[in-house]
Amino acid sequence: MSKYLEIALIAGLTVGMTASASMAEEHGLGREALPEEIAAWDVKVMPDGRGLPEGSGDVWTGDEAFGMYCASCHGDFAEGVGNWPSLAGGMGTLDRDDPVKTVGSYWPYLSTVWDYVNRSMPYGYAQSLSADEVYAITAYILYSNNVVDDDFTLSHENFAEVEMPNADGFIVDDRPETEYPDWRGDPCMEECKDAVEITMRAAVLDVTPQDEE
Amino acid sequence: MSELFKGNPASRRAFLRGSVAAVAGAVTAGAARADGPDPLITEVQPWAQGWGDPVDAAPYGTPIKFESDVVRRTVEWLTADLTSSINFTPIHALEGTITPQGCAFERHHSGAIELSKEDYRLMINGLVDRPLVFTYADLERFPRENHVYFCECAANTGMEWAGAQLNGAQFTHGMIHNMEYTGVTLRTLLEEAGLNAAGDLSDKWIYVEGADASSNGRSIPMEKALDDVLVAFKANGEALRKEHGYPVRLVVPGWEGNLWVKWLRRIEVTDAAVESREETSKYTDVLDNGIARKWTWVMDAKSIITSPSPQSPITHGTGPLVISGLAWSGHGAITRVDVSKDGGKSWQTARLARDPEAKALTRFYLDTTWDGEEMLLQARAMDETGYVQPTKAQLREVRGENSIYHNNCIQTWWVQPGGEAENVEVS
């Protein structure tokens, strides 16, 4: 009973205090996030490098770390193992059938590499790498793509200077201009084509999983 | 006798068993005369005599054993492992529009994590007046809304760009589900944190990420964030399933499923897109010239005949046939669906089962008569913007074949005289 009252009182006080802290709120729910909490969870890195911690790592340190943490899936040279993603190579393939989309051939921002390695890799043991290790691994991936030389050291200071090969390879969704105007209106209902032929069959390809009985 | 019908729809052998019954059906069609008294009627059956299960035999029920084939299925060769992978809703075997959670497709980038309500925290930070942390209990104290929305993976039908590949609606179109969500509008939570600090909202973004190892962070323009995005904690009346983000996920109506961040843990107001892994290296659409489209969020109008289809062949012979399908659009409500039986030479307008809802699945039917001849079945959706679902040829003309994502082409099923159906491409 008294425990309940105590909780109710504290809750009441908290609401009262937060209500006066800001006029924008409407419900007085939640509590202020502490700086340590924001620092722990807000680790994203922006394309211009905002959010990067201080640190550095060179290609050879990265080679070693990559071999230890990454190579079992991505290959010693970042070329990819089996169905796991290739991180290197694929230059000049984007306009061909089955383009090979790697960090070097496709990724427009280096910040994405740092952010993803730091936040989500190694696969199955995320957020275990030090900032210096992430710089080193990022440097090694750049080296594997011939973007930097083997004596390169990546740091928070020179991060923004690295030019990604496919930085200009993207456009913002243009369907509203290139597709929607042409694909509106009354569709054909009768005699829409002269002949219809089957040109491809999925059963011939035969890659659909079958249930076991 | 009923053993004959117990097969797996995905299995060819099961189909062949079923087709025996189809022939029998064809013979009796029209005549509707029994060869003799049906023992299921004339003899007392065990279920008509003894007891069934007591209540509480299953405190939380699962489908009866006869429906054990109505399950999610994956295509193992698509991905390197099953923790960063996808499976498919058995849309060929479902009806109506609401997808049961237990067979709604899963897409994880680092596996489905187990996060309790007690351990759940949601942070809002960045360009807000007051960075906040909410508990799960806090979220349940905000005013709630209920909405039905489809969630479609951007890669749905992605394996079909270069040709007819996977033989079943589940595999070609099953990266979709449709649920009734209960949650708090994202606008409510953002206003709780205060947006004065963000200044002009027209060029601001939010960045949303999950609590799992992948984080699956995505950037969403503030305009959408304040429009119809939900922070949802219930689906179809019950808690979200683990595999769909328990206890809290983001619902981004009409936009690609990758934005619907599961196990939502952080919402940040930013002055630019973060350009995370999931919005640069993935979920961008390479065009024929090698240039890629980014920020292709909206799922354009699309439809699919779910039955008959390769996993749901015609087994009843000639006569009355219900052609059943689904249509949807990320731009709003479906206004019309046409069905062709001849590969697009001629079309009939289908019947919509109910008044279509915006950004939700619509069920359509063509109640027809099958003469036993082959059919090249197609469906074509239109939405409230006047958009007409394109053919694969139209899509390829603009985009080539390497986009992976956003393939909303008209699909063709070749129904053969025996009733079997196959995924084909036609001229």
Side-chain angles (χ1 to χ4, degrees):
Chain A
M1 179 70 179
S2 63
K3 188 77 180 169
Y4 173 78
L5 278 177
E6 199 175 54
I7 291 165
L9 269 173
I10 290 167
L13 277 174
T14 310
V15 170
M17 282 165 62
T18 54
S20 61
S22 164
M23 295 298 289
E25 73 184 13
E26 292 183 348
H27 301 89
L29 294 169
R31 62 161 177 85
E32 193 125 8
L34 302 178
E36 307 92 294
E37 295 172 330
I38 296 173
W41 274 11
D42 185 356
V43 295
K44 59 105 193 33
V45 179
M46 302 293 282
D48 58 10
R50 279 181 293 163
L52 281 171
E54 289 188 7
S56 67
D58 61 56
V59 167
W60 293 115
T61 308
D63 186 3
E64 205 170 308
F66 196 90
M68 197 156 20
Y69 302 123
C70 321
S72 62
C73 294
H74 296 296
D76 286 336
F77 306 100
E79 76 280 15
V81 174
N83 241 350
W84 297 101
S86 305
L87 304 180
M91 304 290 184
T93 65
L94 295 182
D95 59 355
R96 301 184 202 156
D97 283 349
D98 302 319
V100 180
K101 297 185 281 184
T102 72
V103 170
S105 71
Y106 195 58
W107 294 36
Y109 302 102
L110 187 59
S111 59
T112 313
V113 183
W114 205 100
D115 179 74
Y116 188 68
V117 172
N118 180 56
R119 176 67 178 81
S120 299
M121 291 289 117
Y123 190 56
Y125 196 41
Q127 302 187 81
S128 60
L129 299 170
S130 70
D132 285 348
E133 284 176 313
V134 178
Y135 279 109
I137 288 168
T138 307
Y140 179 71
I141 295 170
L142 288 172
Y143 169 71
S144 299
N145 281 288
N146 300 316
V147 175
V148 299
D149 294 328
D150 60 3
D151 60 354
F152 179 73
T153 299
L154 181 68
S155 74
H156 62 281
E157 290 173 326
N158 68 359
F159 197 91
E161 294 162 21
V162 179
E163 285 178 31
M164 297 297 279
N166 195 42
D168 298 326
F170 292 79
I171 56 169
V172 172
D173 185 6
D174 64 351
R175 286 176 294 175
E177 297 81 45
T178 57
E179 297 179 4
Y180 298 162
D182 296 336
W183 297 347
R184 284 188 182 126
D186 286 331
C188 176
M189 295 299 284
E190 290 293 338
E191 296 174 29
C192 303
K193 26 183 163 171
D194 295 333
V196 174
E197 301 292 333
I198 292 172
T199 54
M200 189 166 179
R201 296 178 53 186
V204 172
L205 195 62
D206 195 23
V207 291
T208 309
Q210 299 290 311
D211 284 357
E212 291 169 15
E213 291 187 59
Chain B
M1 184 66 188
S2 63
E3 286 299 308
L4 268 180
F5 303 94
K6 271 179 72 178
N8 290 303
S11 137
R12 183 174 170 80
R13 265 185 292 159
F15 169 77
L16 290 174
R17 285 203 304 268
S19 65
V20 175
V23 173
V27 171
T28 56
R33 179 176 295 163
D35 294 334
D38 186 346
L40 284 169
I41 296 172
T42 56
E43 294 174 14
V44 178
Q45 300 297 321
W47 56 80
Q49 207 160 29
W51 289 330
D53 286 341
V55 299
D56 267 359
Y60 192 98
T62 49
I64 195 166
K65 62 183 180 182
F66 309 122
E67 299 295 317
S68 62
D69 59 307
V70 185
V71 290
R72 297 183 279 231
R73 290 180 178 86
T74 190
V75 176
E76 292 209 21
W77 53 262
L78 281 175
T79 53
D81 81 339
L82 292 177
T83 47
S84 180
S85 193
I86 184 99
N87 61 17
F88 303 85
T89 308
I91 54 170
H92 64 286
L94 300 177
E95 259 296 333
T97 57
I98 297 294
T99 314
Q101 291 198 77
C103 65
F105 85 97
E106 307 170 80
R107 172 60 167 130
H108 318 310
H109 292 78
S110 203
I113 58 166
E114 206 163 76
L115 176 59
S116 72
K117 288 177 183 171
E118 290 73 24
D119 291 342
Y120 178 78
R121 300 288 184 274
L122 173 62
M123 180 184 290
I124 300 186
N125 74 309
L127 300 173
V128 293
D129 302 335
R130 202 171 60 111
L132 292 174
V133 172
F134 298 113
T135 63
Y136 179 84
D138 291 332
L139 295 181
E140 285 202 334
R141 296 173 67 191
F142 285 100
R144 282 172 224 170
E145 293 190 5
N146 288 266
H147 298 276
V148 176
Y149 294 121
F150 75 81
C151 172
E152 183 185 19
C153 178
N156 200 18
T157 322
M159 292 79 75
E160 305 295 308
W161 274 108
Q165 181 158 236
L166 288 168
N167 206 19
Q170 177 168 25
F171 302 111
T172 58
H173 288 75
M175 292 184 198
I176 192 165
H177 57 62
N178 190 65
M179 301 190 195
E180 184 196 37
Y181 293 98
T182 302
V184 180
T185 66
L186 180 55
R187 171 187 277 273
T188 301
L189 298 183
L190 289 170
E191 286 177 348
E192 189 75 11
L195 289 171
N196 293 324
D200 178 10
L201 295 178
S202 65
D203 61 353
K204 298 304 182 297
W205 296 71
I206 61 161
Y207 185 65
V208 284
E209 58 175 23
D212 64 317
S214 84
S215 101
N216 197 78
R218 288 293 305 255
S219 308
I220 299 173
M222 182 62 81
E223 185 185 1
K224 178 69 173 177
L226 294 176
D227 180 15
D228 56 4
V229 177
L230 278 182
V231 174
F233 39 81
K234 302 278 178 179
N236 298 345
E238 61 181 356
L240 292 165
R241 294 288 165 89
K242 174 172 73 174
E243 62 267 35
H244 301 129
Y246 180 95
V248 177
R249 88 172 305 169
L250 202 66
V251 169
V252 189
W255 287 22
E256 64 188 19
N258 183 256
L259 295 154
W260 297 44
V261 171
K262 300 188 287 190
W263 315 290
L264 180 69
R265 88 167 190 190
R266 197 170 74 87
I267 301 162
E268 180 181 356
V269 177
T270 61
D271 60 8
V274 171
E275 304 284 7
S276 72
R277 186 241 193 196
E278 305 297 333
E279 54 202 16
T280 53
S281 76
K282 305 288 177 186
Y283 302 98
T284 47
D285 318 345
V286 179
L287 302 172
D288 227 9
N289 60 5
I291 298 292
R293 287 174 176 164
K294 67 174 185 177
W295 303 347
T296 48
W297 301 303
V298 183
M299 302 309 296
D300 290 331
K302 188 166 172 177
S303 63
I304 181 67
I305 290 171
T306 52
S307 181
S309 65
Q311 296 161 286
S312 179
I314 302 172
T315 55
H316 55 57
T318 57
L321 170 69
V322 175
I323 296 173
S324 178
L326 292 167
W328 60 95
S329 170
H331 291 282
I334 288 294
T335 51
R336 191 176 114 188
V337 180
D338 299 324
V339 171
S340 174
K341 296 179 190 172
D342 54 16
K345 278 191 212 168
S346 65
W347 297 83
Q348 292 169 267
T349 297
R351 171 171 66 87
L352 305 184
R354 293 175 52 189
D355 284 344
E357 284 186 78
K359 304 171 188 176
L361 292 188
T362 291
R363 175 65 62 179
F364 66 86
Y365 296 112
L366 188 71
D367 306 298
T368 190
T369 303
W370 187 44
D371 57 9
E373 296 294 307
E374 72 168 21
M375 296 185 284
L376 289 165
L377 287 182
Q378 297 183 335
R380 178 178 69 192
M382 294 176 67
D383 71 19
E384 62 181 67
T385 70
Y387 179 93
V388 182
Q389 183 183 357
T391 62
K392 208 185 273 190
Q394 283 177 294
L395 284 168
R396 283 175 179 158
E397 198 182 318
V398 179
R399 306 187 198 169
E401 295 181 0
N402 291 326
S403 288
I404 300 176
Y405 307 106
H406 293 280
N407 184 349
N408 65 321
C409 70
I410 291 172
Q411 170 69 42
T412 309
W413 302 134
W414 176 31
V415 179
Q416 292 151 43
E420 190 172 13
E422 182 181 334
N423 174 13
V424 297
E425 252 183 57
V426 294
S427 56

